[in-house]
Amino acid sequence: MAAQRYGKKSEKRSSGKKKDDDDGNDSDSTPSAGSASESDSSKKPNTHRPVKKKQTRKPKSTLKEMIERMGIDVEKVVRELDEDKRFCEYCGHELIPFGEKHLRYELKVELPRLRVIEYVGVTYGCPDCHAKAADSDTPLSECGLSPVQAEAPKPLLPGSWASSSFLAMAIAFKILYQIPTNLLITMFREMGMFSVSSGTLCSWIISVSQVYFAPLFDRLPPRLKT
């Protein structure tokens, strides 16, 4: 069994088998006409250029959409006129409320929770003047009458919806604890706040320092300034 398995006879091949192998090698060595045409077509340069897609900028989300995305409860504060201002300037009749109007939003920080306060001003009108204008068929715009509305409290920074508590927390984290701006924004996002940009946050802090801290710095004696 060992001689039959490892002897010289085991290395010999039949002539029919060898002929089939030679035929197979010849067929592989001679390329067909179809393969040649395919190779020629693959060598041709691709002149087709991909069409560039028009890049559209994502629209900026509004303040109301950002507040809805945060999922924070909005506390509604109704602003009313003072009692001494609830009288008509023309006839002295007492004004009555007839509508409301959105004034502005303000973000307040009360650790460990956040609140969004919406200020709504009550609009007042004089029923006596309105009745007189209705009887005379004269529009209110021509009579010089205009509704009186309560005003919202002035923000800490004009045109900003950040409250004093929010800016105080941002200044404390950035200046006292030396937290970088990008890390501070990450902390705000983890707290569920809006994703304010670093430029906006830095401009708020600089504006607060220029408006409120610069006059205090000028009053300091020279030895403390140095």
Side-chain angles (χ1 to χ4, degrees):
M1 292 177 63
Q4 290 180 1
R5 188 171 184 180
Y6 301 107
K8 294 182 179 181
K9 291 183 179 180
S10 62
E11 299 178 0
K12 292 182 180 181
R13 300 168 59 184
S14 61
S15 59
K17 199 172 184 179
K18 186 176 182 181
K19 185 177 180 180
D20 295 339
D21 295 337
D22 294 338
D23 295 338
N25 294 333
D26 294 338
S27 62
D28 295 340
S29 61
T30 56
S32 61
S35 62
S37 62
E38 291 177 358
S39 61
D40 293 341
S41 62
S42 62
K43 291 180 181 180
K44 292 182 181 180
N46 188 10
T47 58
H48 176 69
R49 294 182 179 179
V51 180
K52 293 184 178 180
K53 295 183 179 179
K54 187 177 180 181
Q55 296 181 356
T56 57
R57 194 170 185 178
K58 188 177 180 180
K60 188 177 180 181
S61 56
T62 60
L63 188 57
K64 188 176 182 180
E65 292 175 354
M66 292 196 311
I67 293 174
E68 292 177 355
R69 198 181 306 130
M70 285 191 291
I72 302 175
D73 296 335
V74 179
E75 180 181 349
K76 187 176 181 180
V77 177
V78 179
R79 300 282 297 179
E80 297 184 358
L81 287 175
D82 298 334
E83 294 183 359
D84 55 346
K85 296 181 180 179
R86 297 181 185 179
F87 296 94
C88 183
E89 298 179 359
Y90 300 95
C91 63
H93 195 277
E94 185 179 359
L95 303 178
I96 59 173
F98 66 90
E100 294 180 352
K101 183 181 178 181
H102 168 77
L103 300 177
R104 69 182 183 91
Y105 286 105
E106 184 179 77
L107 180 65
K108 281 199 172 184
V109 179
E110 294 180 0
L111 297 180
R113 70 188 184 98
L114 304 175
R115 287 191 304 147
V116 176
I117 297 179
E118 178 185 3
Y119 291 99
V120 178
V122 180
T123 307
Y124 294 85
C126 180
D128 191 12
C129 294
H130 184 77
K132 290 179 181 178
D135 295 338
S136 60
D137 296 334
T138 305
L140 294 176
S141 59
E142 296 182 4
C143 296
L145 303 177
S146 59
V148 183
Q149 190 176 29
E151 297 180 356
K154 293 184 179 180
L156 187 64
L157 297 175
S160 171
W161 69 300
S163 63
S164 57
S165 59
F166 172 77
L167 292 175
M169 183 184 67
I171 291 172
F173 284 157
K174 185 170 179 60
I175 297 177
L176 297 180
Y177 300 105
Q178 301 295 323
I179 297 178
T181 306
N182 55 350
L183 182 57
L184 188 60
I185 293 173
T186 305
M187 292 172 56
F188 289 158
R189 290 176 181 173
E190 291 178 355
M191 293 170 62
M193 296 172 59
F194 62 98
S195 57
V196 63
S197 61
S198 58
T200 303
L201 184 60
C202 291
S203 64
W204 286 351
I205 295 175
I206 293 172
S207 300
V208 169
S209 62
Q210 291 176 352
V211 174
Y212 296 97
F213 295 127
L216 298 176
F217 183 76
D218 295 337
R219 298 177 185 176
L220 295 176
R223 58 184 181 84
L224 294 179
K225 290 182 181 180
T226 55

